[in-house]
């Protein structure tokens, strides 16, 4: 009974092995490219760990402030759309004023 089970499993596994073999040959060169990158990343991860531990409490402090700021942003956005046309009206007036200042200084 064990022999039959083993033969039966082998007959199922062998076709899968033939499918996997070409994939392994594609993966092997990619692994050799990834290995040096991993060795570059590992020191960066060790540098980042203490920074992450410093940032975590700051994120906790920022969360309530962000929740206060978000509603204010929604109030400011409509004001920005009102101010934009006024800015386009003011720009030529500012340049006129600068011209007048320049003329006044030169006299």
């Amino acid at each position: 009974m064990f022999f039959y089970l083993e033969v039966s499993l082998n007959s199922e596994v062998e076709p899968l092995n033939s499918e996997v073999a070409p994939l392994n040959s594609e993966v092997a060169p990619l692994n050799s490219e990834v290995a040096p990158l991993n060795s570059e990343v590992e020191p960066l991860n060790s540098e980042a760990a203490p920074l992450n531990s410093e940032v975590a409490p700051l994120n906790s402090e920022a969360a309530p402030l962000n929740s206060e700021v978000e509603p204010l942003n929604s109030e400011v956005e409509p004001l920005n759309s009102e101010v934009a046309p006024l800015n386009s009206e003011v720009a030529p007036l500012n340049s006129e004023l600068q011209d007048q200042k320049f003329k006044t200084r030169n006299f």
Side-chain angles (χ1 to χ4, degrees):
M1 180 152 160
F2 290 116
F3 179 72
Y4 174 75
L5 181 61
E6 186 177 328
V7 170
S8 175
L9 289 175
N10 281 341
S11 66
E12 291 179 30
V13 168
E14 286 174 8
L16 296 174
N17 283 340
S18 64
E19 290 178 32
V20 168
L23 297 174
N24 283 337
S25 65
E26 291 179 30
V27 168
L30 297 174
N31 282 339
S32 65
E33 291 178 30
V34 168
L37 297 174
N38 282 339
S39 65
E40 290 178 29
V41 168
E42 287 171 8
L44 297 175
N45 284 339
S46 62
E47 287 179 35
L51 297 174
N52 285 338
S53 63
E54 290 178 30
V55 168
L58 296 175
N59 283 340
S60 298
E61 290 177 32
L65 298 174
N66 286 338
S67 64
E68 290 179 31
V69 167
E70 286 174 12
L72 296 175
N73 283 339
S74 64
E75 291 178 28
V76 168
E77 287 172 11
L79 296 175
N80 284 337
S81 63
E82 291 177 29
V83 168
L86 298 174
N87 283 337
S88 63
E89 291 177 28
V90 168
L93 297 173
N94 280 337
S95 63
E96 281 182 41
L97 181 61
Q98 292 300 323
D99 289 345
Q100 288 177 359
K101 285 181 182 178
F102 180 74
K103 289 177 184 174
T104 308
R105 285 187 206 148
N106 289 332
F107 286 116

